[in-house]
Amino acid sequence: MDRGYFMFELPIVVLYLALINGFYLLVYFNNQAWAIKRNYLQQQELLSKDKRILINHKGGQLSIKVGQIAVIDQISQINWLIMRNGESHILSLSLKEINALLNSSDFFQVNRKQIVNKEVVKKITALSFGKLELTLHIHYENQVTVSKDRAKRFKKWLSAS
């Protein structure tokens, strides 16, 4: 107590340790932010047209090109991926997750339950109350309709190259 350690040196040591820990905490959060950004960019790169996604199929995983996806449809709380050749597979991702991953210039969420590939849209028919019905190049039993709120954005998206 007589030497003044607690009065002068201890606060300096505590301040020094706090500054060092604060610096390493900032470095840690910076690295985490870069890792998240890097992961997001890798997912975006994976989901370009030439890339593939893995889906669960018969106890294994099936690799599918993103360009082969025609429609993603939610039926009875199950998300289905319908391919251009008519095959359908169950998706483990939610519509919100898959819509965030898909390229917005190629895919459009036409309503709360369906996402459509631009290349499979064949014909647009106007329905009542501003809705649109889509005819697709593939055989698909379910009706694909564009909601009234998204119809204007859909037409603009479809006409864009």
Side-chain angles (χ1 to χ4, degrees), residues 87-153:
E87 292 179 20
S88 58
H89 304 281
I90 294 177
L91 274 176
S92 59
L93 298 171
S94 70
L95 280 179
K96 188 176 183 179
E97 292 170 335
I98 194 71
N99 195 26
L101 294 174
L102 293 172
N103 188 352
S104 63
S105 64
D106 297 325
F107 292 90
F108 189 87
Q109 186 166 0
V110 294
N111 55 47
R112 290 183 313 166
K113 299 186 178 218
Q114 295 174 323
I115 300 172
V116 176
N117 187 341
K118 181 187 279 189
E119 296 176 6
V120 298
V121 176
K122 182 178 184 179
K123 180 180 172 185
I124 302 172
T125 308
L127 297 176
S128 59
F129 304 109
K131 292 183 180 181
L132 303 173
E133 180 180 8
L134 302 181
T135 306
L136 306 177
H137 287 289
I138 64 164
H139 175 68
Y140 185 57
E141 293 115 17
N142 294 346
Q143 184 180 19
V144 179
T145 58
V146 182
S147 66
K148 175 179 76 171
D149 299 332
R150 300 174 194 219
K152 186 175 181 180
R153 283 188 294 137

Side-chain angles (χ1 to χ4, degrees), residues 17-149:
L17 288 174
L19 287 173
I20 290 175
N21 283 324
F23 173 75
Y24 282 114
L25 188 64
L26 288 174
V27 169
Y28 171 77
F29 285 130
N30 187 34
N31 288 341
Q32 290 297 316
W34 278 105
I36 291 169
K37 185 176 181 179
R38 197 169 32 251
N39 186 21
Y40 175 77
L41 291 174
Q42 287 173 348
Q43 286 178 346
Q44 290 296 328
E45 182 181 326
L46 281 174
L47 291 173
S48 67
K49 278 186 181 180
D50 298 334
K51 300 298 179 178
R52 298 175 171 272
I53 60 171
L54 293 176
I55 60 168
N56 296 330
H57 180 68
K58 295 182 181 180
Q61 290 189 326
L62 183 65
S63 175
I64 295 178
K65 282 187 176 182
V66 172
Q68 292 300 314
I69 298 172
V71 179
I72 298 170
D73 198 355
Q74 186 180 61
I75 303 169
S76 301
Q77 302 298 324
I78 298 173
N79 294 326
W80 291 88
L81 181 139
I82 293 84
M83 296 177 56
R84 289 182 176 192
N85 61 7
E87 292 179 20
S88 58
H89 304 281
I90 294 177
L91 274 176
S92 59
L93 298 171
S94 70
L95 280 179
K96 188 176 183 179
E97 292 170 335
I98 194 71
N99 195 26
L101 294 174
L102 293 172
N103 188 352
S104 63
S105 64
D106 297 325
F107 292 90
F108 189 87
Q109 186 166 0
V110 294
N111 55 47
R112 290 183 313 166
K113 299 186 178 218
Q114 295 174 323
I115 300 172
V116 176
N117 187 341
K118 181 187 279 189
E119 296 176 6
V120 298
V121 176
K122 182 178 184 179
K123 180 180 172 185
I124 302 172
T125 308
L127 297 176
S128 59
F129 304 109
K131 292 183 180 181
L132 303 173
E133 180 180 8
L134 302 181
T135 306
L136 306 177
H137 287 289
I138 64 164
H139 175 68
Y140 185 57
E141 293 115 17
N142 294 346
Q143 184 180 19
V144 179
T145 58
V146 182
S147 66
K148 175 179 76 171
D149 299 332

